[in-house]
């Protein structure tokens, strides 16, 4: 996949002083002379100690273990967002053979039987997608295709469209009076989603953050607007999160830690009841190999210069300047499902992510969350924190971290 990622982007690096400030010691892996349409750039603010405090790793190397300050999808010249629209659609929107319909709801994919595959028995039957039925501006329409149909409705809507089209579990389709065309009980199963947790710390008054901008303080918003409109500089040119890290379970890297982890994996994977999806053994074996490798990350960390949090751990808007550390497991073991709730596209699907249903997730996720406190307590971040400032309640032990995650 690397060549496709490389040719999709053009990264413009900042000046050498800013490059050193942000710890950007790597270079773009894109091929010279073949710039991609999606533009990437970096914030340029030498007075910002937060980005400098983060670590230095090449995020495009394929071995991105550790921290890095990442580019944002902002055009370095116009200082406007670079997106799939500006990169791929806008340059070709005038083509006569291209028509884009917005606010069109697809109801089903039209499948037709194809028998000409060299066999006469029923097992030789194949169905081919030949068109779609959809509603646009109140009118139901059908479009037939001569070549291919690309189903790209996302992790939640793609299974819904398959089931509405007659591809899915026979039992489920019959319960909604949908004719079964292809019996595939795996459709909508094996759903994986990433939980997220964050802790915040008040920083010294001289540390520049985005808190006042997020609080919509009128004079701060006005100043940012003027700065952007007149010189294309300021906080409106910068993304909300520009510092990330890919991290292993640090506490399991030692020899004793590896032994503890091995016992945990043996116990949890051997006692977990089978959920029924065919690829579960191979998936769990692969995920285990990631956890056991000291050069593979099992969670992403991020840093944002503002107060953020979730659920009961967010105390509302608090005066002051803050930084927030967050983490999300990259490869959760828990598996959920998403299925249709009715026989029409207007009804939302039934989603059951089954967060933390696998015992390993409630062991691994809190460990990463605890390590965020270790990062905050370590220089140079420790010197940025305001003595006696407002912080997320400290996690005394792993049980406290588990409770935090569940909240």
């Amino acid at each position: 996949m690397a060549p496709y990622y490389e040719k999709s982007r053009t990264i413009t690096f900042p000046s050498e002083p800013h490059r050193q400030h942000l710890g950007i010691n790597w270079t773009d892996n894109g091929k010279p002379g073949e710039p991609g349409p999606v533009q990437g750039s970096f914030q340029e603010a030498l007075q910002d100690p937060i980005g400098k405090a983060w670590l230095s790793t090449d995020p495009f190397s394929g071995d991105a273990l550790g921290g890095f300050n990442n580019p944002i999808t902002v055009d370095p010249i116009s200082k406007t967002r670079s997106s799939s629209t500006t990169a791929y659609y806008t340059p070709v929107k005038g083509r006569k053979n291209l028509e884009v319909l917005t606010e069109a709801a697809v109801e089903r994919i039209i499948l037709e039987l194809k028998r000409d595959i060299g066999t006469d028995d029923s097992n030789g039957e194949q169905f081919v997608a030949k068109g779609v039925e959809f509603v646009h501006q109140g009118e139901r329409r059908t479009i037939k295709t001569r070549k291919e149909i690309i189903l790209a409705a996302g992790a939640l809507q793609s299974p819904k469209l398959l089931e509405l089209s007659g591809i899915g579990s026979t039992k489920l389709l019959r319960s909604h009076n949908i004719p079964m065309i292809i019996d595939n009980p795996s459709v909508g199963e094996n759903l994986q989603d990433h939980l997220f947790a964050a802790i915040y710390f008040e920083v010294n008054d001289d540390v520049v953050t985005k808190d006042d901008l997020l609080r919509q303080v009128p004079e701060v918003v006005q100043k940012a607007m003027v700065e952007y409109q007149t010189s294309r500089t300021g906080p409106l040119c910068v993304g909300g999160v520009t510092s990330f890290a890919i991290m292993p379970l640090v506490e399991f890297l030692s020899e004793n830690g590896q032994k503890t982890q091995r016992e945990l994996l043996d116990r949890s994977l051997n006692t977990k009841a089978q959920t029924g999806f065919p690829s579960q053994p191979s998936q769990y074996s692969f995920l285990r190999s990631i956890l056991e490798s000291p050069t593979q990350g099992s969670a992403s960390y991020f840093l944002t210069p503002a107060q953020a949090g979730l659920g009961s751990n967010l105390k509302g808007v608090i005066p002051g300047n803050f930084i927030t550390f967050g983490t999300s497991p990259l490869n959760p073991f828990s598996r959920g499902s998403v299925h249709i709730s009715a026989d029409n596209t207007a009804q939302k699907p039934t989603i059951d992510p089954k967060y933390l249903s696998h015992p390993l997730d409630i062991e691994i996720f809190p460990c990463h969350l605890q390590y965020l406190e270790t990062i905050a307590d370590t220089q140079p971040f420790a010197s940025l924190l305001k003595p006696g400032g407002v912080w997320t309640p400290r996690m005394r032990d792993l049980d406290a971290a588990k409770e935090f995650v569940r909240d």
Side-chain angles (χ1 to χ4, degrees):
M1 295 297 292
Y4 296 96
Y5 285 123
E6 290 169 1
K7 73 177 185 179
S8 72
R9 68 174 190 264
T10 297
I11 297 178
T12 300
F13 288 88
S15 61
E16 187 60 26
H18 291 93
R19 192 164 177 160
Q20 293 298 322
H21 178 78
L22 294 173
I24 306 170
N25 300 317
W26 46 273
T27 57
D28 185 21
N29 294 325
K31 297 179 181 179
E34 297 183 14
V38 178
Q39 300 296 312
S41 61
F42 293 83
Q43 62 173 326
E44 298 200 9
L46 290 177
Q47 75 278 13
D48 176 21
I50 298 176
K52 183 176 176 60
W54 207 245
L55 305 178
S56 176
T57 298
D58 180 357
F60 300 115
S61 67
D63 298 305
L65 194 69
F68 54 90
N69 285 298
N70 58 284
I72 54 177
T73 50
V74 171
D75 188 288
I77 305 302
S78 66
K79 298 296 183 182
T80 56
R81 183 187 175 197
S82 182
S83 64
S84 57
T85 298
T86 61
Y88 293 100
Y89 170 68
T90 301
V92 301
K93 65 179 181 180
R95 289 184 180 178
K96 294 182 179 180
N97 63 343
L98 174 66
E99 182 179 1
V100 177
L101 296 180
T102 60
E103 300 183 9
V106 176
E107 295 194 321
R108 73 181 183 100
I109 302 167
I110 300 172
L111 301 170
E112 295 182 0
L113 183 63
K114 180 182 179 181
R115 296 180 181 276
D116 185 18
I117 56 174
T119 181
D120 296 327
D121 58 30
S122 60
N123 292 328
E125 291 185 348
Q126 283 189 348
F127 289 90
V128 181
K130 300 297 291 185
V132 294
E133 289 183 359
F134 64 99
V135 175
H136 182 243
Q137 295 181 345
E139 177 186 358
R140 180 170 282 100
R141 299 173 58 182
T142 300
I143 289 182
K144 289 296 187 73
T145 179
R146 292 191 297 270
K147 293 186 177 181
E148 297 177 327
I149 294 172
I150 298 174
L151 175 58
L156 302 181
Q157 298 297 325
S158 292
K160 172 182 170 181
L161 280 176
L162 288 174
E163 291 174 342
L164 289 174
S165 304
I167 304 175
S169 163
T170 299
K171 181 179 180 181
L172 174 68
L173 299 182
R174 285 176 176 171
S175 69
H176 294 290
N177 296 316
I178 297 175
M180 191 276 293
I181 297 177
I182 299 175
D183 179 25
N184 187 341
S186 296
V187 173
E189 294 296 316
N190 197 28
L191 176 65
Q192 304 165 51
D193 197 9
H194 305 276
L195 282 171
F196 165 84
I199 55 178
Y200 57 82
F201 302 85
E202 188 173 7
V203 295
N204 297 323
D205 295 339
D206 59 345
V207 177
V208 179
T209 68
K210 295 183 179 180
D211 288 285
D212 283 342
L213 193 63
L214 294 177
R215 297 181 190 118
Q216 297 289 290
V217 177
E219 56 269 26
V220 174
V221 174
Q222 179 64 23
K223 180 182 177 182
M225 288 294 297
V226 171
E227 192 173 1
Y228 177 77
Q229 292 170 349
T230 57
S231 61
R232 289 294 191 263
T233 59
L236 297 185
C237 295
V238 182
V241 180
T242 58
S243 299
F244 284 89
I246 306 298
M247 295 293 292
L249 282 167
V250 176
E251 68 175 272
F252 290 153
L253 294 180
S254 66
E255 185 175 345
N256 288 335
Q258 291 176 4
K259 179 181 178 181
T260 301
Q261 177 180 249
R262 186 164 52 252
E263 293 172 350
L264 172 64
L265 293 175
D266 288 341
R267 182 171 63 253
S268 300
L269 293 178
N270 288 339
T271 59
K272 177 61 182 175
Q274 296 293 312
T275 58
F277 61 90
S279 62
Q280 185 194 53
S282 58
Q283 284 191 25
Y284 282 1
S285 176
F286 176 70
L287 296 185
R288 176 170 185 155
S289 71
I290 292 177
L291 289 172
E292 292 181 327
S293 171
T295 61
Q296 295 290 323
S298 56
S300 63
Y301 295 2
F302 80 87
L303 167 69
T304 187
Q307 179 206 3
L310 291 175
S312 61
N313 300 307
L314 180 59
K315 297 181 178 180
V317 178
I318 304 172
N321 296 339
F322 293 84
I323 56 174
T324 296
F325 296 94
T327 182
S328 179
L330 293 173
N331 308 108
F333 283 80
S334 300
R335 297 293 189 268
S337 63
V338 51
H339 293 290
I340 54 174
S341 59
D343 62 353
N344 62 84
T345 191
Q347 297 297 317
K348 295 180 180 179
T350 300
I351 305 169
D352 182 7
K354 295 183 179 178
Y355 293 128
L356 304 177
S357 59
H358 195 285
L360 274 176
D361 289 341
I362 198 58
E363 297 292 336
I364 295 171
F365 191 14
C367 288
H368 281 293
L369 186 64
Q370 277 190 303
Y371 193 68
L372 294 180
E373 290 189 337
T374 301
I375 296 176
D377 290 335
T378 304
Q379 295 293 353
F381 281 111
S383 62
L384 299 179
L385 305 187
K386 187 174 184 177
V390 178
W391 296 353
T392 307
R394 286 301 186 112
M395 285 161 276
R396 303 175 303 278
D397 49 34
L398 185 59
D399 287 337
K402 291 180 180 180
E403 183 179 353
F404 189 101
V405 166
R406 290 189 178 100
D407 288 344

